[in-house]
Each structure stands twice: as structure tokens, then as C-alpha cells.
Amino acid sequence: MSLKSGPGFGTTDLKRVTRIRFDATRFKRECRVLDTIIGENKLMSHDLFEAAKAAMSKAYAPYSKFRVGAALRTEDGRVFAGANVEIASYPEGWCAETTALGHYIMGGGGKIVEIAVLAERMAKCSPCGGCRQRLAEFCRPETKLYLCDNAGVAETVTMGEMLPYGFRGDILK
């Protein structure tokens, strides 16, 4: 490519063009870093899916046969999982998310950064309204919520998207 002199093709334009260099080595290194970050995020969400799946296998749902598992991860990497538990007196059972939150509280709490929910008979099962509010009590609007199917994470949303107008504990104090 040759640059011509004349209107619009002055020496300053030539200097500007020569300053723009493509550093292929740096680009490849930055792409590898980005691939690593994306890979780690997929790994993290997948192990949370696996924890929810393991919890789902322990669900007690003899009446509806609607087994659900949930898992949440705290900022320091701890994972707490739970399954739904039905009893004959509907609606006195509890949801998988509630069970996971019980384990989380008993385990010392912390900042929740990710949540995964999986139902055996429904892809992308989201938490019910009550569980959305319970989860919101302990996490932030930007907390990731993974809606799973039997193969893994099917969709990622945030708690703020799932419960945009939830009650906030700070206004009750």
C-alpha cells in the first residue's frame, strides 16, 4: 500500500498510519487470557450445576414427582446445595432454594455470587416468587442465576432481572 502526498495525504497522516501497529503476539496472549477467563467461568457454573444435580437426586417429591435441586456459591468459593421436600399437607413443604439457603446460613453465610437451579422435568426452571425474595435477602441484584436443563446451564440471568422490585431489608430497619 502506498500513501500519496496531496490534499488529505500529508506527512502527519503518514505518521499516524505508521504508529498503528498490530502486535500479533500481544493479541494472541490477550485472547488466551480471555479464553481462560471464559473457560473458568464455564467451569465454575458447571460445577455449581453438578452440585444442584446431585442435590436434585435427593429430593423428596413423592406426590408431584417434580424434583428440584439448587446450589449457591459464596464469594469465598463455598457451595451450598439443597433439594425440594414435599409433605402430604400442601403447601407445607419447602423448595430446593430454601433448603440451600438453610445450609448456607448454618454454614456461616457470606456473599452469594452465583446460584444454579435445576428441575428434572422442566428446562430452565426458575425460582418461585417466594424463593426469589428469600434469595434476594442474601444476594445482590447482579448475582448470577443459572437456569439449567439436564445438560447444564441453559440460560444465565441476574437476580435483579428475576426480581426487579423485591422487598429490601434495609428499608425495614
Side-chain angles (χ1 to χ4, degrees), residues 118-134:
L118 172 66
E120 193 171 61
R121 295 174 29 204
M122 181 180 172
K124 298 194 313 185
C125 181
S126 68
C128 70
C131 285
R132 290 177 194 192
Q133 187 62 57
R134 284 183 201 94

Side-chain angles (χ1 to χ4, degrees), residues 60-64 85-94:
Y60 180 74
Y63 309 107
S64 71
V85 178
E86 292 180 351
I87 60 171
S89 177
Y90 281 116
E92 296 303 317
W94 54 92

Side-chain angles (χ1 to χ4, degrees), residues 30-86:
E30 288 175 0
C31 283
R32 278 193 302 269
V33 168
L34 186 56
D35 285 344
T36 301
I37 291 169
I38 290 169
E40 287 173 358
N41 283 342
K42 283 184 179 178
L43 248 162
M44 288 177 70
S45 63
H46 189 73
D47 84 321
L48 207 57
F49 160 76
E50 290 294 337
K53 187 175 180 180
M56 182 180 69
S57 72
K58 297 179 181 181
Y60 180 74
Y63 309 107
S64 71
K65 308 286 191 258
F66 193 77
R67 300 160 65 86
V68 181
L72 55 91
R73 184 190 324 277
T74 58
E75 189 173 41
D76 61 4
R78 292 175 297 142
V79 173
F80 300 94
N84 60 320
V85 178
E86 292 180 351

Side-chain angles (χ1 to χ4, degrees), residues 98-154:
T98 302
T99 305
L101 283 171
H103 291 287
Y104 157 82
I105 293 295
M106 296 303 293
K111 179 184 172 190
I112 298 174
V113 294
E114 296 178 296
I115 305 161
V117 179
L118 172 66
E120 193 171 61
R121 295 174 29 204
M122 181 180 172
K124 298 194 313 185
C125 181
S126 68
C128 70
C131 285
R132 290 177 194 192
Q133 187 62 57
R134 284 183 201 94
L135 290 166
E137 183 77 19
F138 301 101
C139 60
R140 296 187 177 158
E142 63 272 10
T143 300
K144 292 178 192 172
L145 174 60
Y146 303 119
L147 307 178
C148 304
D149 60 20
N150 291 327
V153 175

